Amino acid sequence: MKIHTLSYTTTQGFSDNLPAMTSTQQLVLVFGASDFINQPAPFEALTAQYPKAIFMGCSSSGEILAGHIRDHSLVIALVEFESTTLRLAQVAIHNPSESRTIGRFLADNLAHDTLKGIFTLSDGLKVNGSELTQGFNDVVSAAISVTGGLAGDGERFVNTWVLKDGKPTSGIVTALGFYGNIQISHGFKGGWKPFGPAREVTRAENNVLYELAGKPALALYKTYLGEMAAGLPATGLRFPLALSRPGETKELVRTILAVDEATQSLTFAGDIPVGSQAQLMRANLEQLVEGAEDAALMCNADTDKTVLCIAISCVGRRMVMGADAEEEVEAVLDNLPENTTQIGFYSYGEISPFSKGNCDLHNQTMTLTTLYE
């Protein structure tokens, strides 16, 4: 596997000349600012240079390249595979209610005896991420890893894009299958700690939370945020919800996408099951960096071969860490093989198995996918 990385900005163009790729299996990974949906020039240059490549990418809330975080840019990885076959499936999504069906459709299109793993990217605002993952789980064996994330739009929550035929397009879910002689590992960790009382979810529909312990969810949430409540939904990213069910050890984290004053409800990136226990969470820089380190250690990618690491971290983590956010992407590289190339983005949701088995939607985590041949 050969990897070449570069970046693009509207003021400086590409950071390097676009090199030739000769492999029959070529992947162009692109993550970038949401504004690029109206700037076709760099995508046209890439598709013209690499007409045989598979294009995969989405908008971000910050772009990750090596140990650095960028804004208002594109980060690009040109990957040539030697013994791996790639297959792409993509479909439009118009309503979150379609999410599970779309997950099944994509999984069905990629199913094969030699499938080793799936990497998926979705519009970050029109999807129910937990239903999307359940759709994959309906079809894909637990032995096949499914990882990925939801596209971001900074702190705006207005518009996201996913590459479709090499062009940034709203309302798209895409999935890439890897087949043959490839090693795929994954890891995810958060670092957030719960605080305050746990409250039962007494009224919710899919990913919309109406009541906690019989009280309006938005009003209760605002009491914890205080003056920060005026900045919702963005400020809510600093205080995600931990969800757990009685008798289960698995804990899911959910982060806010939207608020509705009329219904006093909160819309989250994934389902909020009625009867589950919800508790607010918070974190500091040290805890979040430690979570990123743990995610890298979970990958267990101990090899002297060339490694591609796709890092997907939640926008809420970046908001908490501020100018120190690069410490978590540096921590990932410090705990992976020296010959690792890292690219990724800050997202509205992360997709990964807990350790093994079926995938789940996560929020507020650092989620890693490592690949090598």
Side-chain angles (χ1 to χ4, degrees), residues 5 37 39 57 64 81 140 189 205 212 221 242 271 304 330:
T5 61
I37 195 169
Q39 302 177 41
I64 298 170
F81 293 91
V140 177
K189 282 292 180 180
E205 295 179 9
L212 287 169
Y221 203 84
D271 280 349
D304 58 359
E330 292 170 353

Side-chain angles (χ1 to χ4, degrees), residues 294-317:
D294 290 343
L297 293 173
M298 281 183 67
C299 288
N300 194 29
D302 185 14
T303 179
D304 58 359
K305 296 184 178 181
T306 298
V307 177
L308 174 65
C309 173
I310 306 173
I312 303 177
S313 186
C314 184
V315 60
R317 299 171 65 86

